[in-house]
Every structure is written in C-alpha cells, then in structure tokens.
C-alpha cells in the first residue's frame, strides 16, 4: 500500500509539474484582447456614475484595475501597432495612420505578436478594426476586419461581433492548441467625418430609427447633456455636453458588446482558461485629448483578468503601465520567447515594455512610462517625445515653432467647431486655455501632475525644477537611443549613424 500510495502521489506531483511548467503547450491557456476605439474613463469602473457599463464593471471584479495605464502614442494606427509589436511607433515604422492616402506601414522585418504566436502554433483571430499593415507583418488565421468587411458591421454591430466570436470559439473546440483572439471595437470613435448621417459618434447606427437599421442585441441608452460629467480638459459648453452625451450612448453599446463577447467565451467553456485584457488605443477625441501627449491624450483604462491569479481581483494598482506591455504580457502568458533580430541593419531589437503578470500577484514599484508621436494624418507632422515619472511629466515638442495640427474628424466635431467659432467671435470659450496656447507650444513642457492635473503650468523654465528637468531629459534621450529613434538628434542636429558623434550639429539656433 505504501508503494502504491507513493506512486500515486508521485503521479500527482508530475501532473502538476506538467500543468504548471508547460503552459505554452497546453490547449487550456488562451488570450482574449479587447480594445476600444478612442475609449476613455467614461465607465463606472473609473467612477463615472452616469454612464451605465455593467459588463465592464463585472469584468473589473475579476480583474486587476490599473489606475495609471497609458498608450505610448495618441493616434490610432501607431497605437495599434505598438499593442501588436511591443515597439514604439518610431521603432516599428508605423509613424501615422495606415489607411487611404496616409498609407503608413510597419517595417517588413518587424516580428509582431500575431506572427510570433502563429510560429508557436497558437491560433490567432481578429474581429473589428485592424488599421495596421502590411499584412505579412500582422497575419491572423481568422480575420474579419475593415479589410474584408464594413467596419461598422464588424466594429459596431455587436450582434455581428457576437456571432463572429462564436464562430471563432466554437470552431476552436476541437483544436489541440491555444488561441489568441483580438476583438477591436470601433466604438466609441467619432463618425461625423465619415458617416455623418449616424450622428457625431455613430450613436444612431442600428438604433431602430428610420434608415438607421437595427442591431438586435443592442438596447440603446440615452443621456441628456445636463447628465454628463465634463472632464476638466474639455470646455463646459452646451455643444460639448451634447457631444459627450452622444459619446456615452456609444460607450453603452461598447459595454453591451463586451458583455456579449465575454458571454460567448463563458458558454464555449474557455472562461477559466483565458487571460482577458481590456484597454483602448488612445485618448478621447476632444480638445487636449487624442493626438496629444498630455495626460488627457495618453491615459487609458486597463483591466487584466487572469483565471490563474485571483488574489488581486477587484483591486486597484497604482503601477505605471503602458500598451507597450501588452505584447510582453501575452508572450509571457504563452511562454513564447522574443526572438533576436535587428531592423534596418541596426542593433538587436529589445522590448522596452514588461510583462504585467507579476503585478497580478504583488503590487510592483513601476513609476516610469515613455511616449512617442510623429504623425496622425500624413499632413499632421508634429513629432513629440515624452517621459512620465512619478508626478513629473516632460514633453519634448520637436517642431514647436509650427502650430499644432488638427485632424479631420475632430475638426468637424461639435465641440471643436464651437470652440473655434467662439474664438473667432472673441467670445468666452469656457476652456482652460486659449486656442493660440493650444496651437503654439514651448519646446520643453514640464508639469507636476500632482499639483497641476490639467497640466496648465509649464515648469520647464523654473529654476527650482532644473534638476528634475535635466534628469528627465537624460532618461528620455537614453530611451530614444535604446529604441533606435530616427528623431533622436532632432531638431538641433542630424543623425549620422556611421560617424562619431552621431548627432552632427546644425547650429540652427534651436
């Protein structure tokens, strides 16, 4: 009996070893990545008690809630490229928007997350907004995106999204390998520029009104302008309030869509085997938001739910994390190593993000994140580099003598047109800065976000902050060199990689 008991116990230990040490080889370990489009903190999870988001609230109870999560670039395609590569936009080559006349693409040699997962025999799927390229760099086994469907149908029609998720999951039931499913909602992105008939935020699309169609699973939620909570960086005007009310309706649709996706995951039997991550690509499309590296343009919601690490479910983390951390987190979950390779003849590529999995067990002391922006639309060249450490946020505006550019769909938004018209008429705008201050910026901006959350007082020329300014400049420059930033010498010098020193001065007075 003793021998049999010992053999049985040894067998259990060996089985536990296999289950715990070989997760990348187990078909019972999967990832569901959910990304909103221009989604911010308009959710009950982040204490907005007006917008009803019960499904995000339910997910948060099974997640670690990150209070200090950030995109690394406040623009759609560049941000999505960083999510799927772990590399900043200046390193992976996706400098601006991918589609149409803009046509930015990542470098052909980039080893993206879906590419690495496919090579590790992990099934990949994408539903919704892809908005990155080229296809060879971002391959998916299962793909329903704007490349082969209407983005309204695969990104906003939550019934269609539900059925596509079901198709992916149930076709995977017989698979002997793990999966990575990326659901990229198009809500709550503006649509006044592309489909104005559906409203400023496509809030009418599928609501059952005449000519709007009907999304069967959507129960539209409507909000009045006097209900909304106006963020401090947005002018508190009737136009902005009505704009936010429309945004809230599409956030409700996003939330209901997330609920449907999670229900499909649960009913297919994968809920207890799947790491779920929810975030957004960039800041909300309002003044000081998207396309800016101010906190209002880069701060993001972030929920990470692991069925294997439940101790911190429902807790809030203060750690500084970035969308650059998504790729290393998912690779860590699957035990897939990052390969050694170089881009454009440079040094070996290194991921500067980190796996978030350790934070699910113990609160880490992470207090620094970096940001990098070059373009949004092709005509919107305004390169910026930034570092946020502790309470201090440093922004380097490389082309600071030119006006900050405005993107097309934001320009036609009710909020911006109201701000523009009031400025032209010499009337009060109810905004915390002027349009002139918004357009024309100092080369260096330094803010203490602890005492100045709206980043209104630039401390870069304050002698009492000279040490922190120089420290952050040094750290930012080190990160730029470490990530092969082509703009590392701008605007004072030209980068010459084969000469020493590599930054060759221009003596241009900057």
């Amino acid at each position: 009996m003793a021998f049999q008991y010992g053999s049985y116990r040894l067998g259990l230990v060996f089985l536990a070893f296999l289950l715990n040490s070989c997760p990348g080889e187990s078909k019972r370990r999967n990832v569901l990545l959910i990304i909103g489009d221009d989604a911010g903190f308009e959710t009950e999870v982040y204490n907005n008690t007006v917008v009803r988001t019960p499904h995000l609230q339910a997910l948060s109870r099974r997640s670690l809630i990150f209070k200090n999560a950030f995109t690394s670039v406040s623009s759609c395609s560049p941000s999505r490229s960083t999510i799927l590569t772990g590399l900043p936009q200046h390193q992976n080559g996706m400098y601006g928007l991918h589609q149409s006349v803009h046509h930015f693409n990542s470098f052909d040699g980039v080893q993206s997350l879906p590419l690495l997962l496919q090579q590790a025999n992990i099934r990949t799927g994408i539903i919704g907004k892809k908005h990155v390229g080229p296809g060879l760099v971002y391959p998916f086994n299962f793909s329903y995106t704007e490349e082969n469907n209407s983005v309204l149908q695969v990104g906003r029609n939550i019934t269609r999204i539900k059925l596509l998720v079901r198709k992916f999951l149930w076709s995977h039931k017989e698979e002997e390998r793990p999966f990575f499913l990326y659901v990229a909602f198009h809500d709550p992105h503006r649509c006044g520029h592309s489909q104005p008939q559906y409203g400023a935020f496509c809030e009418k699309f599928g609501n059952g009104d005449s000519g709007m169609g009907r999304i069967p699973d959507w129960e539209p939620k409507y909000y009045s302008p006097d209900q909304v909570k106006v963020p401090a960086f947005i002018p508190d005007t009737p136009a902005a309030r009505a704009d936010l009310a429309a945004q809230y309706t599409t956030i409700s649709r996003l939330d209901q869509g997330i609920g449907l996706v999670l229900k499909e995951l649960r009913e297919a039997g994968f809920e207890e085997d799947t790491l779920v991550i929810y975030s957004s690509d960039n800041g909300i499309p309002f003044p000081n938001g998207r396309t800016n590296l101010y906190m209002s343009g880069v701060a993001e919601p972030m929920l990470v739910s692991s069925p294997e690490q439940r101790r911190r479910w429902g807790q809030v983390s203060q750690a500084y994390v970035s969308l650059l951390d998504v790729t290393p987190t998912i690779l860590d979950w699957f035990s897939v190593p990052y390969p050694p390779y170089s881009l454009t003849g440079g040094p070996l590529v290194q991921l500067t993000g980190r796996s978030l999995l350790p934070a699910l067990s113990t609160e880490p002391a992470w207090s620094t994140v970096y940001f990098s922006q070059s373009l949004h639309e092709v005509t919107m060249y305004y390169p910026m580099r930034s570092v946020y450490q502790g309470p201090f946020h440093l922004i380097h505006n490389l082309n600071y003598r030119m006006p900050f550019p405005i993107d097309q769909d934001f320009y036609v938004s009710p909020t911006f047109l109201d701000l523009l018209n009031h400025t032209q008429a010499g009337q009060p705008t109810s905004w915390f800065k002027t349009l002139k201050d918004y357009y024309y910026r100092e080369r260096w901006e330094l803010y203490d976000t602890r005492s100045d959350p709206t980043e209104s007082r630039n401390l870069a020329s304050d002698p009492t902050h000279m040490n922190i300014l120089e420290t952050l400049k040094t750290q930012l420059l080190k990160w730029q060199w470490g990530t092969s930033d082509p703009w590392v010498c701008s605007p004072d010098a030209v980068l010459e990689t084969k000469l020493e020193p590599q930054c060759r001065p221009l003596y241009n007075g900057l």
Side-chain angles (χ1 to χ4, degrees):
M1 285 293 293
F3 176 78
Q4 291 177 346
Y5 174 76
S7 300
Y8 173 72
R9 186 175 181 183
L10 183 62
L12 289 179
V13 171
F14 180 66
L15 177 61
F17 171 78
L18 288 177
L19 292 175
N20 289 303
S21 64
C22 306
E25 299 173 11
S26 170
K27 67 177 182 179
R28 305 303 292 180
R29 234 174 189 231
N30 313 296
V31 171
L32 170 63
L33 173 63
I34 302 173
I35 297 293
D37 199 353
D38 296 359
F41 299 96
E42 296 76 25
T43 162
E44 294 166 286
V45 177
Y46 289 93
N47 299 319
N48 186 320
T49 56
V50 178
V51 188
R52 297 304 174 196
T53 53
H55 302 289
L56 278 171
Q57 188 82 330
L59 177 60
S60 74
R61 289 192 285 267
R62 294 174 52 92
S63 304
L64 180 60
I65 305 164
F66 288 95
K67 184 179 179 181
N68 295 302
F70 305 93
T71 181
S72 72
V73 50
S74 192
S75 177
C76 183
S77 295
S79 179
R80 291 165 191 273
S81 74
T82 68
I83 292 169
L84 293 177
T85 66
L87 307 177
Q89 56 84 24
H90 64 250
Q91 189 174 21
N92 73 48
M94 185 73 69
Y95 302 140
L97 297 184
H98 169 64
Q99 91 288 5
S100 185
V101 67
H102 314 303
H103 198 58
F104 289 100
N105 282 284
S106 290
F107 296 127
D108 292 345
V110 168
Q111 301 292 293
S112 74
L113 176 66
L115 183 67
L116 295 175
L117 295 183
Q118 283 194 13
Q119 292 172 351
N121 197 34
I122 294 167
R123 186 178 180 226
T124 61
I126 180 172
I127 298 166
K129 188 173 181 179
K130 187 178 183 183
H131 212 15
V132 291
L136 290 176
V137 170
Y138 299 98
F140 287 88
N141 302 120
F142 179 99
S143 180
Y144 288 82
T145 72
E146 75 280 0
E147 294 180 346
N148 53 16
N149 285 265
S150 160
V151 71
L152 293 178
Q153 294 298 327
V154 296
R156 298 191 197 263
N157 184 340
I158 60 175
T159 297
R160 174 74 169 145
I161 294 168
K162 174 192 75 174
L163 294 175
L164 289 172
V165 170
R166 182 180 300 172
K167 181 178 181 179
F168 176 86
L169 294 177
W170 284 92
S171 67
H172 192 80
K173 294 290 285 185
E174 302 304 318
E175 292 269 2
E176 294 295 324
R177 53 179 176 157
F179 69 74
F180 165 64
L181 177 59
Y182 173 30
V183 181
F185 287 89
H186 197 21
D187 280 327
H189 192 284
R190 288 190 179 278
C191 79
H193 169 66
S194 54
Q195 296 102 5
Q197 69 272 26
Y198 295 123
F201 280 91
C202 274
E203 69 276 9
K204 300 176 185 178
F205 175 71
N207 71 354
D209 289 352
S210 177
M212 298 296 106
R214 182 77 179 94
I215 299 174
D217 287 290
W218 183 34
E219 297 179 12
K221 306 294 181 185
Y222 299 106
Y223 303 86
S224 63
D226 62 335
Q227 282 182 290
V228 303
K229 298 177 69 172
V230 182
F233 61 91
I234 297 176
D236 191 348
T237 62
R241 284 182 167 272
D243 217 5
L244 286 164
Q247 180 211 31
Y248 282 15
T249 294
T250 55
I251 289 170
S252 293
R253 183 167 59 202
L254 167 68
D255 180 74
Q256 291 178 40
I258 290 172
L260 292 173
V261 170
L262 294 176
K263 182 180 178 183
E264 291 298 322
L265 186 75
R266 184 169 55 252
E267 292 186 347
F270 293 114
E271 183 179 53
E272 297 306 318
D273 313 311
T274 304
L275 179 74
V276 178
I277 301 173
Y278 166 73
S279 189
S280 180
D281 55 350
N282 46 245
I284 62 175
F286 283 88
N288 236 61
R290 186 186 66 192
T291 74
N292 287 275
L293 293 190
Y294 297 123
M295 289 295 99
S296 44
V298 294
E300 298 297 338
M302 174 83 81
L303 307 177
V304 180
S305 175
S306 168
E308 299 177 7
Q309 295 159 289
R310 306 187 180 201
R311 193 174 70 81
R312 301 197 69 195
W313 275 12
Q315 293 185 18
V316 175
S317 172
Q318 303 292 334
Y320 286 25
V321 300
S322 167
L323 293 183
L324 290 171
D325 300 330
V326 172
T327 282
T329 299
I330 294 174
L331 292 178
D332 186 18
W333 177 259
F334 285 124
S335 297
V336 174
Y338 194 71
Y341 73 101
S342 64
L343 286 171
T344 63
L348 288 180
V349 173
Q350 302 289 330
L351 293 177
T352 57
R354 57 169 69 90
S355 172
L356 300 178
L357 297 186
L360 305 184
S361 300
T362 305
E363 179 71 359
W366 299 337
S367 59
T368 305
V369 286
Y370 296 90
F371 313 96
S372 166
Q373 181 125 356
S374 298
L375 300 100
H376 181 68
E377 294 160 6
V378 71
T379 54
M380 293 179 64
Y381 180 65
Y382 200 87
M384 299 172 281
R385 302 294 184 264
S386 178
V387 57
Y388 184 37
Q389 184 173 79
F392 291 104
H393 183 204
L394 177 69
I395 301 174
H396 185 194
N397 299 308
L398 279 66
N399 280 34
Y400 65 100
R401 289 190 173 181
M402 68 178 288
F404 186 80
I406 304 298
D407 64 281
Q408 291 176 316
D409 67 345
F410 172 56
Y411 181 88
V412 299
S413 70
T415 300
F416 183 75
L417 287 178
D418 183 69
L419 177 60
L420 190 69
N421 292 336
H422 277 77
T423 298
Q424 285 181 300
Q427 299 170 343
T429 63
S430 301
W431 201 27
F432 75 105
K433 62 172 68 174
T434 67
L435 264 184
K436 183 178 179 180
D437 291 335
Y438 187 63
Y439 291 149
Y440 296 98
R441 309 178 181 191
E442 298 296 325
R443 175 172 177 177
W444 296 100
E445 299 181 70
L446 176 65
Y447 301 103
D448 183 345
T449 61
R450 179 179 43 197
S451 59
D452 179 23
T454 59
E455 298 177 311
S456 302
R457 298 185 298 275
N458 185 3
L459 304 174
S461 60
D462 181 359
T464 62
H465 289 84
M466 184 67 68
N467 288 341
I468 187 66
L469 175 67
E470 294 304 319
T471 297
L472 293 181
K473 280 185 179 181
T474 299
Q475 290 184 213
L476 181 58
L477 193 62
K478 181 179 179 181
W479 180 74
Q480 288 182 262
W481 282 113
T483 54
S484 302
D485 187 354
W487 281 264
V488 68
C489 300
S490 297
D492 311 280
V494 173
L495 176 62
E496 294 282 2
T497 56
K498 299 184 185 302
L499 298 176
E500 290 294 339
Q502 291 187 336
C503 287
R504 311 298 285 187
L506 289 167
Y507 304 109
N508 55 16
L510 297 178

